[in-house]
């Protein structure tokens, strides 16, 4: 059983399990799925300033904080006990392309040549981590939710704004991966 849990699950099992989270939350507590709202709840809890955006009854949404804590705890457990010691298999063409940008040591999910404390203080690392993080946060706030909230919860509730946001997320991802990322990696 442990070996089954350690292996990646196929999309036709993992996808429906993630998708069933939405109706389970709606049926059990009339709650909607989304992760980015937890940052707002955290700020409202920790910074009781006179800012209109944070002035609401965050205690009604405390369940979301437990949900996010469960995700964090699940990640720690999976990393500590279920991680696969074998190197990640990367297509040869991708390895060749990444090598042209100086990324040659790919042993984990994130290449240390791009995502480490040392690379943070380079132009490339600054763009990847700081500027990229800013755009993720800004985009999530501007779109009224993150990809999980819109693509999983919003689409399952047939919300047109979520369809538009999800399409924009995918177009933005394609533009980033094919046009902007090669430029950043060549810095």
């Amino acid at each position: 059983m442990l070996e089954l849990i350690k292996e990646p699950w196929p999309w036709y099992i993992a996808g429906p399990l993630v998708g069933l989270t939405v109706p389970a939350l709606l049926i059990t507590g009339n709650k909607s799925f989304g992760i980015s709202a937890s940052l707002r709840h955290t700020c409202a809890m920790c910074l009781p300033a006179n800012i209109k955006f944070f002035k609401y009854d965050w205690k009604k949404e405390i369940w979301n904080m437990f949900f996010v804590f469960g995700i964090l705890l699940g990640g720690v457990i999976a990393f500590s006990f279920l991680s696969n010691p074998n190197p990640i298999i990367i297509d040869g063409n991708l390895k060749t392309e990444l090598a042209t940008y100086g990324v040659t040591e790919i042993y984990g999910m994130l290449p240390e040549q791009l995502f480490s404390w040392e690379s943070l203080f380079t132009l490339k690392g600054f763009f990847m981590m700081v500027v990229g993080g800013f755009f993720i946060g800004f985009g999530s706030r501007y779109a009224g939710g993150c990809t999980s909230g819109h693509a999983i919860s919003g689409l399952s509730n047939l919300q047109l704004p979520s369809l538009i946001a999800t399409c924009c997320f995918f177009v933005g991802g394609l533009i980033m991966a094919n046009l902007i990322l090669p430029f950043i990696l060549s810095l």
Side-chain angles (χ1 to χ4, degrees), residues 109-129:
M109 294 295 287
L110 301 172
E112 286 191 22
Q113 292 164 312
L114 297 176
F115 300 99
S116 66
W117 286 109
E118 293 81 27
S119 68
L120 175 62
F121 299 106
T122 65
L123 187 61
K124 188 186 309 186
F126 181 80
F127 270 102
M128 294 293 288
M129 291 183 269

Side-chain angles (χ1 to χ4, degrees), residues 87-151:
I88 295 173
I89 300 170
I90 298 176
D91 184 74
N93 294 333
L94 179 60
K95 278 186 179 180
T96 304
E97 183 178 349
L98 288 174
T100 63
Y101 298 115
V103 181
T104 55
E105 299 175 19
I106 307 169
Y107 304 113
M109 294 295 287
L110 301 172
E112 286 191 22
Q113 292 164 312
L114 297 176
F115 300 99
S116 66
W117 286 109
E118 293 81 27
S119 68
L120 175 62
F121 299 106
T122 65
L123 187 61
K124 188 186 309 186
F126 181 80
F127 270 102
M128 294 293 288
M129 291 183 269
V130 177
V131 176
F134 171 79
F135 278 124
I136 293 283
F138 175 79
S140 176
R141 175 67 186 113
Y142 187 73
C146 60
T147 52
S148 62
H150 280 297

Side-chain angles (χ1 to χ4, degrees), residues 14-168:
L17 286 175
V18 170
L20 289 173
T21 303
V22 174
L25 284 171
L26 285 172
I27 291 168
T28 59
N30 198 25
K31 308 290 185 197
S32 60
F33 177 76
I35 301 301
S36 60
S38 62
L39 180 59
R40 180 181 182 207
H41 305 325
T42 303
C43 290
M45 280 189 287
C46 299
L47 305 170
N50 196 17
I51 300 171
K52 184 179 177 183
F53 184 69
F54 297 128
K55 291 182 88 172
Y56 67 97
D57 189 10
W58 56 266
K59 293 175 185 168
K60 287 183 180 177
E61 304 296 328
I62 196 73
W63 72 271
N64 190 266
M65 300 305 291
F66 286 106
F67 187 77
V68 171
F69 178 73
I71 291 172
L72 178 66
L73 183 63
V76 169
I77 291 170
F79 178 78
S80 300
F81 302 109
L82 303 173
S83 56
N84 188 343
N86 300 325
I88 295 173
I89 300 170
I90 298 176
D91 184 74
N93 294 333
L94 179 60
K95 278 186 179 180
T96 304
E97 183 178 349
L98 288 174
T100 63
Y101 298 115
V103 181
T104 55
E105 299 175 19
I106 307 169
Y107 304 113
M109 294 295 287
L110 301 172
E112 286 191 22
Q113 292 164 312
L114 297 176
F115 300 99
S116 66
W117 286 109
E118 293 81 27
S119 68
L120 175 62
F121 299 106
T122 65
L123 187 61
K124 188 186 309 186
F126 181 80
F127 270 102
M128 294 293 288
M129 291 183 269
V130 177
V131 176
F134 171 79
F135 278 124
I136 293 283
F138 175 79
S140 176
R141 175 67 186 113
Y142 187 73
C146 60
T147 52
S148 62
H150 280 297
I152 298 170
S153 186
L155 289 180
S156 67
N157 290 324
L158 304 176
Q159 296 178 3
L160 180 61
S162 290
L163 176 62
I164 294 168
T166 302
C167 291
C168 291

